[in-house]
Amino acid sequence: MAITNSYMQRVMEQVKQRNPGESEFLQAVEEVLESLQLVVEKDPRYEQYGVIERLVEPERFIQFRVSWVDDNGKVQVNRGFRCQFNSAIGPYKGGLRLHPSVCASVVKFLGFEQIFKNSLTTLPMGGGKGGSDFDPKGKSDMEIMRFCQSFMTELCKHIGPDTDVPAGDIGVGGREIGFMYGQYKRLRNEFTGVLTGKGLTFGGSLVRTEATGYGLCYFTQEMLQCMKNTSFEGKTVVISGSGNVAIYATQKATQLGAKVVALSDSNGYIYDPNGINLDVVKQIKEVEHGRIKEYVQRVSGAEYHEGCRGIWTIPCDIALPCATQNELNGDEAKVLVQNGVMAVAEGANMPSTPEAIAVFQENGVLFGPAKAANAGGVATSGLEMSQNSARLSWTFEEVDAKLQEIMKNIFHNAYNASVEYDCPGNLVNGANIAGFKKVADAMIAQGVCY
Ligand code: NDP
């Protein structure tokens, strides 16, 4: 679908001029504006109040120097970012990513997507995202700690439990959140829910670690059930990545009766026709912080292939891309379709290129976009914020039940919006529209500064 509406064309042109070379951000905006054409044509208020122009410009974008000292006593300098994109429906909320590819474009695309995702959860959270081009690979625990402390020394000036509540993302798990939380507390002398994904002994929520992967499977299960009258039971599943999202998606898909046969990292992928042994993967990735290829030394019958993209050539019923943006292109989508894939749901943010999404949609493959399918992580972060504010903690079963309910509702809200706007089953449009309306109406209600 191209942008044909003149208002949307004008806004898109302006976004391109203002953000030259920011390809990830432009890709994310273009997809949303395509979907929202259906909405602005029905309701002139959105153009009248300049909602789309305001929506595509971050409320605040902070960039800062992060200097730290490595184990050899050498000073290192990285770049830190926090994009506070939209606070219409709640405090900014979104993860922190530590990866060499992090730049303004990546942080803005992630922050922009987060606005709609957070709205879809129905919890009161605005959209934000941050991170640094720091590469955690090969760093010692002490180096990670010194980096996280230096990063938080600046970030703490801009966040707070009622202002902006960051969480983890690529390269940021429980260890990094712990170091950052400790530094925030040291600097501010306050014990508040300023970060989510915290350790269970200091305010973390049960299920937060599992939430994105579990939520992805709950969403996919509902999509399979309602749109194809089937389930994970007996299906063959390919999952890319082997980090937090991929590991817990593997666990839940397996619990729901599927066989997960492949995982990857940025170097290559493993194929295990007997079904992935998750205990081995968790030992390698969570305990030893090792590489996925080590799996084949420990499990007989498994294969390792260099090059992560080859994972999409493995025949499967369900594909769950859970690594990073643009990891699945049009040609790879065609191979998945030729091999009989029936459903694709995105655990990572924007893992499918626009060409790949078109291939899935043209071939009747069920497609669950990231904003909806991977919202379980931030939804559970929202539940962690509630528990922190109320000074209590819910059981695993309580949080898991709420997560399941939220993911089912997200599917139905996206599906119903797709029906209301004459594109039944197009969950890309449905998720964008359902996420947008609540934010846009709040922006109109709160007025424009004269
Ligand atoms: P992790 O850091 O735990 O794992 C990331 C995984 O993706 C690793 O296996 C990593 O391999 C792989 N990867 C990273 N970059 C690339 C690349 N350029 N090419 C191929 N593989 C790559 O991150 P998460 O599991 O937390 O995040 C994965 C995705 O899910 C991201 O898109 C993130 O934004 C999204 N997400 C995460 C949420 C969460 O709660 N954690 C919530 C919602 C979305 P390697 O070790 O080789 O780098």
Side-chain angles (χ1 to χ4, degrees):
M1 187 163 73
I3 299 184
T4 50
N5 174 280
S6 61
Y7 171 41
M8 291 307 209
Q9 281 175 337
R10 264 195 331 273
V11 177
M12 193 64 226
E13 226 18 72
Q14 198 175 47
V15 176
K16 283 182 183 162
Q17 277 168 18
R18 277 214 176 121
N19 306 278
E22 298 194 350
S23 58
E24 294 88 356
F25 179 51
L26 297 177
Q27 182 183 336
V29 171
E30 189 152 16
E31 183 208 279
V32 170
L33 296 202
E34 277 175 11
S35 299
L36 297 183
Q37 298 183 97
L38 306 165
V39 183
V40 298
E41 278 161 15
K42 274 195 182 176
D43 190 340
R45 289 180 315 143
Y46 298 127
E47 182 169 357
Q48 188 188 342
Y49 291 104
V51 170
I52 308 294
E53 295 90 320
R54 290 192 277 148
L55 192 69
V56 295
E57 187 64 25
E59 289 175 14
R60 200 169 294 104
F61 186 85
I62 303 144
Q63 184 184 312
F64 50 98
R65 184 180 66 204
V66 187
S67 37
W68 55 283
V69 180
D70 70 17
D71 285 348
N72 299 318
K74 195 167 176 303
V75 175
Q76 302 285 343
V77 178
N78 285 100
R79 200 170 260 189
F81 302 93
R82 185 70 184 166
C83 178
Q84 299 181 330
F85 220 118
N86 191 299
S87 62
I89 62 166
Y92 309 104
K93 180 93 197 87
L96 297 169
R97 177 177 291 193
L98 300 182
H99 193 272
S101 64
V102 170
C103 59
S105 172
V106 167
V107 171
K108 277 156 70 178
F109 117 66
L110 290 164
F112 183 67
E113 300 250 297
Q114 200 79 41
I115 304 169
F116 308 93
K117 182 186 308 190
N118 293 2
S119 168
L120 281 170
T121 66
T122 69
L123 301 173
M125 300 181 289
K129 201 82 187 192
S132 171
D133 59 2
F134 171 81
D135 186 358
K137 275 203 202 90
K139 302 289 190 301
S140 69
D141 279 358
M142 288 298 116
E143 287 177 320
I144 299 275
M145 183 178 79
R146 288 195 292 273
F147 170 82
C148 289
Q149 291 177 340
S150 178
F151 182 80
M152 182 52 84
T153 300
E154 177 60 30
L155 187 70
C156 78
K157 298 168 190 165
H158 310 285
I159 61 175
D162 295 318
T163 308
D164 183 355
V165 184
D169 190 75
I170 291 180
V172 177
R175 175 182 57 170
E176 292 75 19
I177 291 289
F179 291 148
M180 289 185 200
Y181 190 71
Q183 185 70 351
Y184 183 90
K185 204 161 56 61
R186 235 167 257 127
L187 292 165
R188 288 290 187 85
N189 192 26
E190 61 179 41
F191 196 105
T192 49
V194 69
L195 292 169
T196 56
K198 299 184 289 298
L200 296 177
T201 53
F202 54 97
S205 173
L206 286 160
V207 195
R208 178 60 189 92
T209 305
E210 297 85 353
T212 309
Y214 277 23
L216 172 67
C217 293
Y218 295 146
F219 178 94
T220 307
Q221 182 85 334
E222 195 68 10
M223 178 171 78
L224 289 167
Q225 185 75 62
C226 297
M227 294 176 74
K228 281 225 162 107
N229 195 24
T230 185
S231 72
F232 268 107
E233 185 69 44
K235 302 291 189 299
T236 299
V237 180
V238 163
I239 299 182
S240 63
S242 50
N244 172 269
V245 180
I247 286 175
Y248 292 97
T250 302
Q251 186 168 82
K252 186 50 72 179
T254 308
Q255 284 171 7
L256 292 170
K259 182 159 78 168
V260 179
V261 295
L263 287 174
S264 63
D265 61 21
S266 53
N267 296 115
Y269 68 93
I270 52 165
Y271 171 61
D272 186 342
N274 299 317
I276 295 287
N277 181 331
L278 198 59
D279 290 339
V280 174
V281 174
K282 284 172 109 176
Q283 176 66 25
I284 295 168
K285 302 301 292 190
E286 293 185 337
V287 181
E288 299 166 19
H289 299 287
R291 309 301 298 161
I292 200 66
K293 70 176 169 198
E294 293 163 36
Y295 182 90
V296 296
Q297 290 148 17
R298 305 183 197 188
V299 179
S300 63
E303 300 166 12
Y304 174 73
H305 299 265
E306 278 294 332
C308 52
R309 304 197 78 112
I311 194 168
W312 307 122
T313 62
I314 300 170
C316 62
D317 303 305
I318 299 167
L320 304 175
C322 295
T324 194
Q325 62 270 11
N326 293 326
E327 55 162 314
L328 204 178
N329 66 25
D331 290 338
E332 290 154 347
K334 282 181 194 156
V335 175
L336 279 167
V337 169
Q338 276 158 21
N339 286 336
V341 74
M342 71 162 67
V344 177
E346 299 183 319
N349 284 309
M350 207 168 75
S352 316
T353 63
E355 296 76 25
I357 297 172
V359 170
F360 295 136
Q361 290 178 334
E362 283 157 16
N363 287 280
V365 175
L366 301 185
F367 182 73
K371 284 184 201 81
N374 74 20
V378 73
T380 309
S381 277
L383 300 176
E384 183 170 328
M385 289 166 74
S386 302
Q387 293 169 81
N388 292 164
S389 299
R391 302 264 190 271
L392 47 77
S393 44
W394 296 323
T395 64
F396 191 98
E397 290 71 26
E398 280 175 289
V399 181
D400 193 38
K402 289 183 202 295
L403 173 62
Q404 286 188 50
E405 200 54 34
I406 289 171
M407 297 314 297
K408 280 185 184 177
N409 286 339
I410 290 175
F411 167 78
H412 288 287
N413 289 340
Y415 185 82
N416 292 343
S418 77
V419 172
E420 188 184 339
Y421 286 87
D422 303 326
C423 48
N426 182 334
L427 300 177
V428 174
N429 286 345
N432 286 334
I433 293 168
F436 166 78
K437 284 175 82 175
K438 187 170 143 195
V439 175
D441 292 345
M443 287 171 75
I444 292 171
Q446 291 168 22
V448 185
C449 192
Y450 264 46

